[in-house]
Amino acid sequence: MSDPFDFTGRVALVTGAGQGIGRATALRLAAHGARVAVNDRSAETAERTAREIQTAGGEAVALPADVSTSPAVDDMFARFAKSFDRLDFLVNNAGISLYRSLLDCTEEDWDAHIDIMAKGTFLTMRHAARMMIAQKFGRIVNLGSYVAQLNCTTKYFGPYCAAKFGIIGLTQVAAQEWAPHVNVNAVGPGDVATDMMELEWEQEGARRGVPAAVVKDEYRRRLILAKFEEADDLAQAIMYLCSPLAAHVTGAHFIVSGGLPYKAEPGQND
């Protein structure tokens, strides 16, 4: 049997790939043969990830851009076209997370979350889909979240939850409109050991007046698997959705959360 994870000849674009899940995804796709366009809002971090891929023997191009604005996305794809003549995989990972109550959220807070995540996903998908439909092949993977499920929303993350639910809606509509040649899915992380999560623990600890380490351990103990995900755990799930093994998967929100939010508390089932 041929290797389903041999992506030689494929081209991928990963947004928010300067760090965390995006970086892990870009590195893993490249390690399996894909040529990778590395996007991040910061030119420095985009170029750093691209250099990592190149140093390891892969092919990568840094495409810094703010995906929350249409002119920036248009320009990014114009630069993309100078290096690549096709696009097989799009991974929409760019995102932010602000820990704040709804009453304390500003309009700027709301706009930042919706624009970077929901609108950014729409803008990049629209460009990518035209290329993928023309070549009659494509895989789009958007970053959802375990919170974007019924009864799983988390207080103090109003704009974040709204943006992630929006992404799931976009994913399901796009899967219908762009079939049969383009599969569109989402991956929903739980608590991933990234800089973004560390900031969340610090923010919650500050609100509650407890050390961030205490909050972090509370988060860990609520997981069925009792340990945090690594960014590469999500990268591997994204790899699966890009592979032939997932040829008949589309419109799905693939929750990869270590069991969130399903762990029973002590005594709950006594």
Side-chain angles (χ1 to χ4, degrees):
M1 294 179 64
S2 60
D3 180 1
F5 299 110
D6 180 1
F7 294 148
T8 302
R10 299 298 190 187
V11 177
L13 168 60
V14 184
T15 72
Q19 58 186 349
I21 296 169
R23 171 182 168 273
T25 300
L27 293 175
R28 184 162 280 279
L29 287 169
H32 287 260
R35 294 179 290 158
V36 183
V38 179
N39 163 264
D40 204 53
R41 187 162 53 178
S42 162
E44 179 182 358
T45 55
E47 290 165 1
R48 184 175 62 203
T49 299
R51 283 196 302 272
E52 284 188 76
I53 291 171
Q54 293 161 359
T55 299
E59 183 177 341
V61 173
L63 294 179
D66 181 352
V67 297
S68 69
T69 70
S70 185
V73 172
D74 292 346
D75 177 70
M76 178 179 72
F77 274 89
R79 286 180 282 137
F80 175 91
K82 293 179 180 179
S83 298
F84 306 105
D85 61 358
R86 62 181 295 116
L87 176 57
D88 299 287
F89 309 142
L90 169 66
V91 181
N92 277 307
N93 167 77
I96 61 171
S97 177
L98 177 67
Y99 182 88
R100 187 170 295 170
S101 73
L102 286 173
L103 294 179
D104 292 327
C105 278
T106 65
E107 186 175 352
E108 289 74 20
D109 295 334
W110 173 269
D111 288 346
H113 285 77
I114 300 301
D115 288 353
I116 291 172
M117 292 189 282
K119 187 169 79 170
T121 296
F122 162 70
L123 292 173
T124 56
M125 282 203 308
R126 186 174 58 175
H127 266 283
R130 292 190 178 108
M131 301 172 68
M132 293 174 173
I133 291 169
Q135 69 196 22
K136 296 186 177 181
F137 178 85
R139 300 288 183 264
I140 297 175
V141 183
N142 300 322
L143 264 290
S145 172
Y146 87 93
V147 302
Q149 304 176 91
L150 185 64
N151 297 324
C152 293
T153 52
T154 304
K155 62 182 180 180
Y156 306 116
F157 288 96
Y160 180 87
C161 290
K164 290 300 187 181
F165 267 100
I167 287 170
I168 301 311
L170 280 170
T171 297
Q172 294 173 351
V173 171
Q176 297 176 66
E177 292 189 6
W178 300 337
H181 299 302
V182 183
N183 291 28
V184 188
N185 292 291
V187 168
D191 295 338
V192 187
T194 62
D195 291 341
M196 184 180 288
M197 280 299 306
E198 293 285 352
L199 179 60
E200 179 179 324
W201 296 322
E202 291 174 7
Q203 291 173 331
E204 180 171 342
R207 183 187 64 82
R208 293 168 50 193
V210 300
V214 171
V215 178
K216 182 175 182 177
D217 191 57
E218 290 174 354
Y219 275 54
R220 182 192 60 77
R221 287 188 285 109
R222 69 181 182 172
L223 299 170
I224 290 175
L225 299 181
K227 61 181 180 180
F228 295 114
E229 298 167 271
E230 298 296 331
D232 193 56
D233 293 322
L234 276 301
Q236 292 182 67
I238 291 167
M239 287 270 294
Y240 162 72
L241 290 173
C242 290
S243 79
L245 298 178
H248 213 68
V249 180
T250 197
H253 185 198
F254 186 16
I255 303 299
V256 184
S257 67
L260 274 173
Y262 307 111
K263 184 173 182 178
E265 293 300 322
Q268 183 174 323
N269 295 325
D270 291 350

